[in-house]
Amino acid sequence: MKQSSGWGGKLQYVLMLAAMALLAPSAWAQSADPKAWQLNMGKGVTHTARMAWEAHMVALWVCVVIGVLVFGALFYAIFKFRRSKGAVAAKFSHNTKAEVIWTVIPIVILVVMAWPATAKLIAMYDTRDSEMTVKVTGYQWMWKYEYLGENVAFTSRLDRKSDEVRQSGVVPTMATDPNYLLDVDNPLVLPVNTKVRFVITSDDVIHAWWVPALGWKQDAVPGFINERWTNIETEGVYRGQCAELCGKDHGFMPIVVKAVSKEAFKTWLASRKPAPAPEPAAAPAAPVTETPQPEATPAPQAGTGA
């Protein structure tokens, strides 16, 4: 296909961008997993994710305002004081007042932005008052989940269908494989409206546990325990991947979190617990044997001689 060139090609490009902005207004506020043509980070489904989104939006609009002011002043100066208008460059001289202003204002802006961002960051690591704890261990190339105190543990790896497709040489499509390389055999099941504490580590190399809808990612480092927490507010399936280059199959260790109601989670957790071991049968009682008593010797009669 021949590509357009010149003003026609530029006009097509501008029209395409305008159509994308008009046809995908929801891309500015995605709620969970990333979508095609997404223009902004998602709000996610947790309080932590929303805090990150709010901090991002504050920084974004501050940068937009600064950019408009700076580039506006730049273009004004270029247009107003151009040579064709007879402008002549003057000798540069220092202006102490201007230098103080353009130094103090950025400092104030940074302090105003850093204060809430720091508070949000501290809250993201506050695992107190957690209702349950899940231990996450990274392996080459799968994840192990342990529900501490519940005697439930399992591994989660790339589902068999995606593994077969990637090794077959067939080119997957959205129609045939919408979740290609993003499905697992055993998803992590969590209850909604429950503060869940994660302890994250690794058995071999550095991995990173990352689900965008939860609003954070955490490195899994051998020999170290890192903590995070989440409180999912909406039921659904949320997908992620290892976010740290961990070897040749780094791209094939996805993460799937299935958020269900508290009642459904209790039922699921009970079904994953091992059956209680049968009580050992009581040993049969030994038979009682009577000890024979010795026969009594008759007493000698009176008047009998020896």
Side-chain angles (χ1 to χ4, degrees):
M1 181 176 178
K2 186 177 179 180
Q3 294 182 346
S4 302
S5 59
W7 286 105
K10 294 178 181 178
L11 179 60
Q12 279 187 340
Y13 182 72
V14 171
L15 291 176
M16 182 185 70
L17 293 178
M20 286 165 48
L22 292 174
L23 294 176
S26 61
W28 286 96
Q30 297 293 332
S31 61
D33 292 341
K35 303 292 190 301
W37 301 106
Q38 182 170 330
L39 302 178
N40 195 10
M41 68 179 294
K43 284 187 177 180
V45 292
T46 66
H47 179 64
T48 304
R50 280 200 306 278
M51 288 194 301
W53 184 83
E54 291 167 359
H56 159 75
M57 293 306 296
V58 169
L60 174 64
W61 288 116
V62 168
C63 291
V64 168
V65 172
I66 293 174
V68 169
L69 294 176
V70 171
F71 284 101
L74 177 64
F75 291 136
Y76 174 79
I78 293 174
F79 179 79
K80 181 70 175 178
F81 305 104
R82 60 187 188 273
R83 185 175 180 181
S84 60
K85 286 277 190 175
V88 178
K91 185 178 179 181
F92 180 82
S93 61
H94 291 280
N95 188 318
T96 304
K97 183 183 293 185
E99 292 177 355
V100 170
I101 291 174
W102 69 48
T103 301
V104 171
I105 290 178
I107 293 175
V108 173
I109 293 174
L110 288 176
V111 171
V112 170
M113 294 173 61
W115 187 273
T118 303
K120 294 178 188 298
L121 188 63
I122 293 173
M124 288 181 180
Y125 286 91
D126 186 2
T127 61
R128 294 174 296 178
D129 302 322
S130 300
E131 300 175 56
M132 59 178 291
T133 301
V134 176
K135 181 181 178 183
V136 180
T137 306
Y139 293 87
Q140 290 179 315
W141 288 268
M142 58 185 174
W143 300 98
K144 182 179 180 181
Y145 301 118
E146 301 175 64
Y147 295 77
L148 300 186
E150 298 292 347
N151 196 24
V152 173
F154 55 87
T155 57
S156 178
R157 66 183 73 206
L158 183 68
D159 74 308
R160 186 174 298 275
K161 181 182 178 182
S162 290
D163 203 28
E164 290 174 352
V165 171
R166 81 177 179 93
Q167 298 185 60
S168 65
V170 177
V171 179
T173 64
M174 288 297 295
T176 59
D177 300 284
N179 294 314
Y180 176 62
L181 299 183
L182 292 175
D183 267 333
V184 297
D185 53 0
N186 291 310
L188 174 65
V189 180
L190 296 175
V192 297
N193 300 318
T194 303
K195 187 171 183 179
V196 181
R197 170 175 169 254
F198 289 89
V199 289
I200 303 174
T201 187
S202 172
D203 184 70
D204 35 49
V205 299
I206 298 177
H207 302 275
W209 200 85
W210 178 45
V211 177
L214 303 188
W216 52 266
K217 62 181 175 180
Q218 182 63 62
D219 283 348
V221 183
F224 291 87
I225 297 291
N226 291 320
E227 288 186 307
R228 279 300 186 99
W229 66 272
T230 194
N231 189 338
I232 304 174
E233 300 169 346
T234 307
E235 295 184 30
V237 177
Y238 309 107
R239 305 176 191 277
Q241 291 175 296
C242 176
E244 188 74 35
L245 185 60
C246 58
K248 70 179 185 67
D249 281 352
H250 157 69
F252 311 120
M253 51 183 302
I255 303 164
V256 177
V257 175
K258 184 178 180 182
V260 299
S261 65
K262 292 186 177 183
E263 293 73 18
F265 175 75
K266 290 179 181 178
T267 303
W268 175 86
L269 190 64
S271 68
R272 296 302 298 255
K273 290 186 177 182
E279 296 183 1
V288 180
T289 56
E290 295 183 358
T291 304
Q293 299 294 329
E295 295 182 359
T297 304
Q301 295 181 359
T304 304

